[in-house]
Amino acid sequence: MPRPFLSDALPRNVRCAHSIIANLRAFANPNRYSSALHTAPPPPLPQNGTAHPHPHPRISTVNDEEIAHFSRLSKLWWDERGEFTLLHKMNPHRMRFIREKVLEVLREDDRNDDAVALRMRDSNRLLNGLDVLDVGCGGGILSESLARLGANTLAIDASAENIHIASQHAAADPGLSSLSFRHTSAETLLQEESKKRFDIVCSMEVVEHVNNPAAFLRSCAELVKPGGHLFLSTIARTPLSYLLTIVAAEKVFRLVEPGTHTFSKFINPDELIGFFTKPLNEGGRPWISRTYAYGLPTRVEAEVRGIVYVPWRGDWVLAPRATTPLSTQANYLFWIRRPKENV
């Protein structure tokens, strides 16, 4: 019998302590991951020197280890009391944020459009006729909710097992005929569908699981129509998020599978905001033109909202706007609008 590694021979609580100490080293260099987000090299120009038709990196952002991890758990997606309980509880609050921002922009635009007026009157069909993309859809929890608001929804995931489970679950509901699934990644979809763009692109709890997050964000952004919406949710890289997400949720209470999150891959709100204050491609314009108090942008361009889990309620709370940035020290939602052309 082969000898166990020293770490395997230690009691579990001792191994846990070693793991905590190792992860805390990330605090010593808090900008380690942000530099990867902000300084990823732009895509090379073609040999003839002309601008690239797709201004985003031609590399895969799929992390095979992350995909294998979630593929192993794929059969648990629709167990609302199992591994993905927290996501099921979070979903209504994610949808509330999406509805609020879409309605806010409709009012801001104040267009004399019958279709827009109808969506504003009937919030249950708010996304009626809009093309929506859910990137990293997992088991389809968010995708189904988007389709029920009337959206023509395409849900994609890099895990074939996830797509199988999501498709199987959605097929049982005849009211989800506007929902379709594909086993692919954002960058692959962008290369295949050179002209297809979406009114809304969502990618929830995904960016902290990919390789090269800058390339991933560029791909997601490029898939948004001018004037359209990009919705993200992720986790800030703070001592509080480490204690809540790694120590409490994974190691102590086992609410999620240990190893689901990597602390050094978490992204702070100011890093996302900073990413979009710079042009995403050569000759482009920033999506955020300027920031104000606490480094936050104007709400017509982008918004950050904290989403906080309250254990004694067993539910999440979408934090009030007035609590930003205090409430964004762990989980948060992020919305940004792609600038309109010729404006």
Side-chain angles (χ1 to χ4, degrees), residues 96-110 116-124 126-127 229 231:
R96 173 188 164 191
F97 182 67
I98 292 171
R99 291 166 72 140
E100 283 182 0
K101 292 309 300 183
V102 171
L103 278 170
E104 188 175 337
V105 170
L106 289 174
R107 296 189 186 101
E108 184 73 25
D109 287 351
D110 192 27
V116 168
L118 179 62
R119 285 202 294 273
M120 293 182 68
R121 287 197 301 269
D122 184 3
S123 62
N124 290 325
L126 177 64
L127 306 182
H229 310 261
F231 288 94

Side-chain angles (χ1 to χ4, degrees), residues 243-285:
L243 292 173
L244 293 177
T245 306
I246 307 293
V247 177
E250 292 191 15
K251 299 182 183 298
V252 178
F253 298 108
R254 297 299 178 103
L255 297 176
V256 296
E257 183 78 12
T260 296
H261 300 101
T262 302
F263 176 73
S264 63
K265 296 178 73 173
F266 293 173
I267 299 176
N268 291 330
D270 65 307
E271 294 165 355
L272 271 182
I273 291 170
F275 181 81
F276 285 101
T277 59
K278 301 177 179 65
L280 301 187
N281 50 71
E282 188 176 353
R285 55 185 287 199

Side-chain angles (χ1 to χ4, degrees), residues 279-294:
L280 301 187
N281 50 71
E282 188 176 353
R285 55 185 287 199
W287 288 25
I288 297 175
S289 59
R290 61 175 297 185
T291 57
Y292 299 85
Y294 303 108

Side-chain angles (χ1 to χ4, degrees), residues 9-233:
L10 292 172
R12 186 172 69 85
N13 61 337
V14 176
R15 296 200 307 271
C16 179
H18 277 285
S19 176
I20 291 173
I21 292 171
N23 277 280
L24 283 173
R25 291 173 181 166
F27 293 126
N29 187 5
N31 292 321
R32 179 179 62 181
Y33 191 62
S34 64
S35 63
L37 177 62
H38 289 265
T39 62
L45 292 175
Q47 293 298 318
N48 59 12
T50 59
H52 203 293
H54 297 293
H56 60 91
R58 293 290 190 176
I59 60 174
S60 174
T61 64
V62 174
N63 184 303
D64 292 335
E65 291 183 1
E66 298 272 9
I67 296 304
H69 175 84
F70 286 102
S71 294
R72 286 194 300 270
L73 302 173
S74 61
K75 294 182 179 179
L76 305 176
W77 273 107
W78 288 97
D79 178 2
E80 297 188 20
R81 295 184 177 181
E83 174 73 20
F84 298 105
T85 296
L86 294 178
L87 285 185
H88 281 278
K89 291 179 178 293
M90 183 187 285
N91 194 56
H93 305 284
R94 299 188 301 191
M95 289 301 301
R96 173 188 164 191
F97 182 67
I98 292 171
R99 291 166 72 140
E100 283 182 0
K101 292 309 300 183
V102 171
L103 278 170
E104 188 175 337
V105 170
L106 289 174
R107 296 189 186 101
E108 184 73 25
D109 287 351
D110 192 27
R111 290 182 294 174
N112 186 19
D113 186 308
D114 291 340
V116 168
L118 179 62
R119 285 202 294 273
M120 293 182 68
R121 287 197 301 269
D122 184 3
S123 62
N124 290 325
R125 305 297 291 175
L126 177 64
L127 306 182
N128 193 43
L130 298 183
D131 293 323
V132 176
L133 175 67
D134 186 11
V135 179
C137 65
I141 298 172
L142 180 74
S143 313
E144 292 194 5
S145 297
L146 293 167
R148 289 192 177 96
L149 287 185
N152 300 317
T153 306
L154 172 62
I156 66 173
D157 199 282
S159 165
E161 289 83 355
N162 284 350
I163 290 296
H164 173 73
I165 293 296
S167 302
Q168 193 175 50
H169 189 272
D173 186 345
L176 294 175
S177 59
S178 64
L179 174 59
S180 59
F181 295 91
R182 281 189 60 185
H183 172 217
T184 189
S185 64
E187 60 269 17
T188 300
L189 181 69
L190 186 59
Q191 294 171 18
E192 293 176 352
E193 304 285 352
S194 59
K195 296 183 179 179
K196 178 67 175 179
R197 297 296 180 267
F198 297 84
D199 298 288
I200 297 173
V201 174
C202 299
S203 188
M204 305 300 203
E205 290 78 47
V206 177
V207 68
E208 70 271 22
H209 297 289
V210 303
N211 291 335
N212 198 325
F216 177 78
L217 289 173
R218 286 193 188 98
S219 293
C220 290
E222 182 64 20
L223 287 163
V224 180
K225 292 179 181 178
H229 310 261
L230 174 61
F231 288 94
L232 305 169
S233 66

Side-chain angles (χ1 to χ4, degrees), residues 304-323:
V304 181
R305 292 280 291 279
I307 184 166
V308 182
Y309 186 71
V310 183
W312 54 89
R313 294 178 54 175
D315 198 3
W316 296 85
V317 173
L318 182 61
R321 285 169 168 158
T323 63

